[in-house]
Amino acid sequence: MTMIFGVPVQALMGQLLVGLINGSFYALLSLGLAVIFGLLRVINFAHGAQYMLGAFVALLLLTVGGINYWLALILAPLIVGLFAALVEKTMLSRLYRLDPLYGLLFTFGLALAIEGTFRWFFGASGKPYAPPSQLTGAVNLGFMFLPVYRGWVVIASLAVCLGVWLLIERTRLGAYLRAATENPVLVQAFGVNVPLLLTLTYALGAGLAGFAGVLAAPVYQVSPLMGSNLIIIVFAVVVVGGMGSILGAIVTGYLLGVVEGLTKVFYPEASNIVIFVIMAIVLILRPAGLFGKDA
Amino acid sequence: MAAKSEPIATEQVAAHPRAGQVRLVLLVIALAALLAAPLFLYPIFLMKLLAFALFASAFNLLLGYTGLLSFGHAAFFGGAAYFTAHAVKVWGWSPEAGILLGVLGAAALGLVMGAIAIRRQGIYFAMITLALSQMFFFFCLQAPFTHGEDGIQSVPRGHLFGVIDLNQPLNMYYFVLAVFVIGLLIIWRFVNSPFGMILKSIRENESRAISLGYSVQHYKLGAFVMSAALAGLAGGVKALIFQFATLTDVTWQMSGEVILMTLLGGIGTLFGPIVGSGLVVTLQNVLATSDFPVTIITGLVFMVCVLLFRRGIVGEFCATKLGKMLGFRTEN
């Protein structure tokens, strides 16, 4: 058996893949957080709950409506985004003038309420969601077997991250968004509907979380609490990356996912906390984060 | 915390000249009620109330008087519960020594977490404390002395100073009450000390405090450690009340709970956290027998508090005409 650093190649590659998959979710979620924070100055604590919502909507679409995975991949983010837009319009938008901490507290309460409601109706146990028939099975890469669905997760998340990055950096809407991040009052004076832009941004961020939830449904089980522990790791990812840049959020997400996977191979006891340790080290050496501008 | 909040139109109402005496009478009545309470209510419930009231007051020291939102206070509360439980059960320490170890342990933990977290401000501070406390949670999950999911069970209450038998419910209750009152006195003294004044100035305008020559970082860290130590006091006492220490007390949900207690009662008021924790603990007790998840209610209360009354119950009362006549001051 081939060994690298005293570890079998299969184990190393296997954990690297797991790391890459976790990294895909970290990247999607921290991207959404960064987009929302950039414009709204709100740390969206409900991001984990919206991720869970995405997975549940997909599950319900399948079991109740008989709607398949591919349609759910489009419909679920839209539904989650719509719900988020409603929340933003009716409640969250009242908090912009206040200290950003209130936005964090509000979305924290929202997350608790959503997760509690789902636990009440569906119980705390996880429910399986079968991957679509096109993506079952595995391919032999020579050194390991790659489950097709897991490969798809990495590709799909990369494509969506790239798409969002292009949307923000290369389109007219993205230009408005970036301008409003710099100076909302001035942009509004130029006739851009900034409140609408805020609503859309929150819906976009939440939709990304919903998309990640649908992607995650076949990998992990669908459970009301699937997002609540994840969101804290994503917070750490965001602190490491610095919230200044969209690209930074994406890169840090994948990077930390891989590092976490490698830790599982070399020092499994620390794999739960390695991201938090990295966060602490980054804070000591470079408080603004890897890609952040100095606050 | 008040940095950007909208100015509230305040009607100037002078405190009544005898307001001080009225407040003193109210305080005496409250103390008498606490002394007599175990005759009417279940002591364990009352002790739980007092422990959480102290925990929330310790948390408020940081949020209300320094303007730092810590999302990781469960680490100090639950961590101290583990330290105390371990010292008392495995090492056979006396209860007061066990609680002291809990306080010191929480303070040490606060020193490390605080030193890292104060490197960023505002919203980042909250996220960093959350992440660090989650790291501590995973440590507790894996460390052998905490016994993982089982927790440390059947912790003996022992004899206070070797003479007072804490297994007697009433003895235990008055011990917890004494700790609570001492804890509150420390907080009251701390807030009204020159140190506390500087903390308030940092909360109101950090840049100006720096320009006045105060080393803001040291003061923040001092407040953080103080708050952590007092949260540890509450946690250590809680371990003796329930005679166990579990993972529940170090979870982020617990950190969220203490924020809710403070927010609901009134951030930056001395009595707000007590009222808030009383309501939350009572609510949990009422819902404990049904299968309705408490988190739905707590989540909704959170949202309503943030949207509609950010000053909390005590804060709103202080802002009323009656509150002002009684000479209560609001901090935000």
Side-chain angles (χ1 to χ4, degrees):
Chain A
M1 194 185 287
T2 330
M3 307 281 271
I4 298 178
F5 306 123
V7 175
V9 172
Q10 261 106 344
L12 189 68
M13 287 299 163
Q15 288 303 337
L16 213 57
L17 180 68
V18 170
L20 211 55
I21 289 167
N22 284 340
S24 302
F25 294 120
Y26 298 160
L28 275 175
L29 291 174
S30 59
L31 171 65
L33 273 184
V35 169
I36 292 174
F37 181 77
L39 192 58
L40 279 68
R41 298 284 135 189
V42 166
I43 292 288
N44 185 27
F45 212 122
H47 219 63
Q50 284 153 350
Y51 162 84
M52 178 273 289
L53 269 182
F56 257 102
V57 169
L59 182 70
L60 290 176
L61 283 176
L62 184 71
T63 52
V64 178
I67 293 168
N68 69 16
Y69 173 84
W70 300 106
L71 262 173
L73 206 53
I74 299 163
L75 278 179
L78 284 178
I79 293 170
V80 175
L82 202 67
F83 172 72
L86 207 68
V87 168
E88 196 276 345
K89 209 69 205 157
T90 53
M91 291 179 275
L92 193 59
S93 57
R94 296 160 193 266
L95 301 174
Y96 294 148
R97 290 169 301 121
L98 306 173
D99 192 300
L101 291 176
Y102 285 115
L104 177 76
L105 292 178
F106 172 79
T107 49
F108 176 69
L110 181 65
L112 286 184
I114 295 174
E115 281 167 1
T117 308
F118 273 78
R119 219 171 65 197
W120 195 31
F121 282 109
F122 299 98
S125 62
K127 290 158 186 56
Y129 183 98
S133 54
Q134 298 90 334
L135 297 175
T136 47
V139 285
N140 190 352
L141 296 179
F143 54 88
M144 65 175 288
F145 280 95
L146 171 72
V148 175
Y149 188 80
R150 301 197 167 212
W152 155 250
V153 167
V154 177
I155 293 168
S157 77
L158 266 176
V160 168
C161 284
L162 191 73
V164 172
W165 182 75
L166 284 175
L167 172 75
I168 290 169
E169 296 292 328
R170 294 283 181 271
T171 65
R172 193 172 186 81
L173 187 67
Y176 286 153
L177 208 143
R178 278 178 291 132
T181 304
E182 294 287 327
N183 192 335
V185 179
L186 198 62
V187 173
Q188 185 142 28
F190 284 147
V192 177
N193 189 345
V194 172
L196 180 68
L197 207 57
L198 292 169
T199 309
L200 285 179
T201 306
Y202 190 67
L204 171 70
L208 278 172
F211 179 80
V214 184
L215 268 189
V219 182
Y220 311 109
Q221 294 208 312
V222 180
S223 93
L225 299 176
M226 63 192 284
S228 62
N229 287 322
L230 187 63
I231 187 68
I232 302 177
I233 299 177
V234 174
F235 277 175
V237 171
V238 162
V239 173
V240 171
M243 295 231 259
S245 89
I246 301 288
L247 209 56
I250 299 171
V251 172
T252 316
Y254 284 107
L255 199 69
L256 288 182
V258 170
V259 169
E260 192 187 35
L262 289 179
T263 315
K264 273 197 192 112
V265 181
F266 293 104
Y267 190 53
E269 291 82 3
S271 62
N272 278 332
I273 59 169
V274 64
I275 290 184
F276 301 124
V277 173
I278 292 174
M279 181 197 78
I281 295 170
V282 167
L283 279 172
I284 290 165
L285 298 178
R286 199 179 142 75
L290 294 179
F291 298 88
K293 290 164 240 161
D294 281 343
Chain B
M1 193 91 187
K4 275 189 194 162
S5 54
E6 76 270 53
I8 300 155
T10 43
E11 196 187 338
Q12 287 297 320
V13 179
H16 194 273
R18 301 184 69 178
Q21 282 159 309
V22 177
R23 288 209 306 270
L24 199 66
V25 170
L26 286 177
L27 201 63
V28 170
I29 293 174
L31 258 180
L34 281 175
L35 282 170
L39 301 176
F40 309 102
L41 290 163
Y42 187 48
I44 292 271
F45 170 71
L46 287 171
M47 288 190 274
K48 184 181 178 188
L49 257 175
L50 290 175
F52 275 99
L54 182 58
F55 180 29
S57 301
F59 171 79
N60 186 40
L61 185 62
L62 201 60
L63 177 60
Y65 296 99
T66 323
L68 296 175
L69 173 62
S70 159
F71 228 113
H73 256 51
F76 313 127
F77 183 69
Y82 274 129
F83 300 146
T84 302
H86 186 76
V88 171
K89 189 185 175 189
V90 181
W91 296 337
W93 287 19
S94 62
E96 67 276 7
I99 289 176
L100 188 66
L101 181 81
V103 172
L104 292 178
L109 207 56
L111 188 66
V112 176
M113 268 175 69
I116 296 171
I118 56 167
R119 297 179 69 83
R120 298 300 301 268
Q121 294 164 334
I123 209 110
Y124 284 96
F125 181 88
M127 290 200 294
I128 293 162
T129 46
L130 176 62
L132 290 174
S133 78
Q134 187 71 357
M135 186 164 136
F136 184 72
F137 168 81
F138 281 117
F139 167 77
C140 289
L141 186 65
Q142 290 173 342
F145 84 97
T146 61
H147 299 284
E149 305 274 358
D150 295 337
I152 305 178
Q153 292 175 358
S154 52
V155 177
R157 279 180 182 169
H159 289 68
L160 186 66
F161 306 119
V163 281
I164 304 168
D165 184 6
L166 292 182
N167 291 307
Q168 297 289 332
L170 276 186
N171 286 357
M172 187 66 197
Y173 174 77
Y174 288 115
F175 168 62
V176 174
L177 182 60
V179 170
F180 170 75
V181 170
I182 292 168
L184 274 197
L185 282 175
I186 294 173
I187 291 171
W188 180 76
R189 187 71 202 89
F190 188 72
V191 166
N192 290 295
S193 69
F195 194 100
M197 295 298 160
I198 294 165
L199 292 182
K200 278 179 218 169
S201 79
I202 293 171
R203 182 192 68 191
E204 292 304 321
N205 193 331
E206 186 165 343
S207 329
R208 192 172 294 170
I210 294 171
S211 76
L212 286 172
Y214 292 113
S215 54
V216 165
Q217 299 296 64
H218 289 136
Y219 282 98
K220 277 187 182 175
L221 188 57
F224 197 85
V225 172
M226 187 74 188
S227 174
L230 285 165
L233 181 63
V237 169
K238 189 193 174 227
L240 289 186
I241 297 170
F242 289 99
Q243 302 189 280
F244 61 69
T246 60
L247 279 173
T248 318
D249 291 342
V250 285
T251 55
W252 59 264
Q253 286 91 340
M254 182 60 77
S255 299
E257 228 165 72
V258 76
I259 298 175
L260 178 65
M261 291 171 182
T262 310
L263 182 68
L264 180 61
I267 296 166
T269 60
L270 196 58
F271 297 107
I274 301 171
V275 173
S277 57
L279 285 173
V280 172
V281 171
T282 310
L283 176 79
Q284 285 169 343
N285 265 39
V286 169
L287 288 180
T289 46
S290 74
D291 55 353
F292 188 79
V294 186
T295 50
I296 298 182
I297 308 264
T298 47
L300 289 177
V301 173
F302 242 111
M303 290 161 69
V304 170
C305 272
V306 172
L307 286 173
L308 298 178
F309 64 121
R310 286 178 285 276
R311 284 188 290 203
I313 294 168
V314 172
E316 293 290 347
F317 172 75
C318 292
T320 60
K321 210 165 174 183
L322 178 66
K324 282 184 186 148
M325 272 173 68
L326 287 171
F328 287 113
R329 284 160 298 155
T330 43
E331 289 293 342
N332 48 346

